[in-house]
Amino acid sequence: QVQLGESGGGLVQAGDSLRLSCAASGRTFSRYAMAWFRQAPGKEREFVAAITWSGGRPSYADSVKGRFTISRDNAKNTGYLQMNSLKPEDTAVYYCAAGLLGSKTNSYDYWGQGTQVTVSS
């Protein structure tokens, strides 16, 4: 079992940066790929970024490529999403997930509760 908890969300202005953290409990976090998804009001949950269990092969949605960076520190059981040059359309609840590598929600068995990111124009 893996339990995940996100932190680091908040209200920022367009162009600002935020770093989200995903703290994992359980000894098996390092066995799983990790991903970030987001869900805006009235929209489906969408893929943002993913990374392998070892921190390799990062992949990104086209909408965030070049602005967001996913990483993890297995020694700290923590994953990160560095978000730069934020735009109002990045406003959403951000979720971290652990499971098999992929861009679909059903690739991931474990989910955090989400953290709100709001970007004002």
Side-chain angles (χ1 to χ4, degrees):
Q1 280 281 5
V2 178
Q3 293 183 327
L4 304 173
E6 303 91 339
S7 62
L11 172 63
V12 297
Q13 293 186 333
D16 285 350
S17 298
L18 275 177
R19 188 175 82 156
L20 305 183
S21 297
C22 175
S25 63
R27 295 177 295 173
T28 60
F29 174 68
S30 61
R31 297 181 185 177
Y32 296 99
M34 190 194 79
W36 290 91
F37 288 77
R38 67 186 182 186
Q39 188 166 19
K43 295 187 177 181
E44 293 188 352
R45 193 168 297 189
E46 66 173 4
F47 171 75
V48 175
I51 200 168
T52 66
W53 67 272
S54 63
R57 293 170 55 194
S59 59
Y60 299 93
D62 287 343
S63 59
V64 307
K65 202 171 293 183
R67 300 188 297 123
F68 290 12
T69 302
I70 187 172
S71 62
R72 67 191 295 167
D73 185 340
N74 287 336
K76 296 182 178 180
N77 268 5
T78 303
Y80 305 97
L81 184 68
Q82 177 67 42
M83 306 186 294
N84 298 329
S85 302
L86 282 161
K87 304 176 181 180
E89 50 264 43
D90 295 318
T91 295
V93 177
Y94 283 72
Y95 299 89
C96 66
L100 298 177
L101 189 67
S103 61
K104 306 295 185 184
T105 56
N106 60 11
S107 295
Y108 298 91
D109 295 318
Y110 304 103
W111 293 84
Q113 82 287 352
T115 185
Q116 176 70 48
V117 172
T118 303
V119 184
S120 64
S121 58

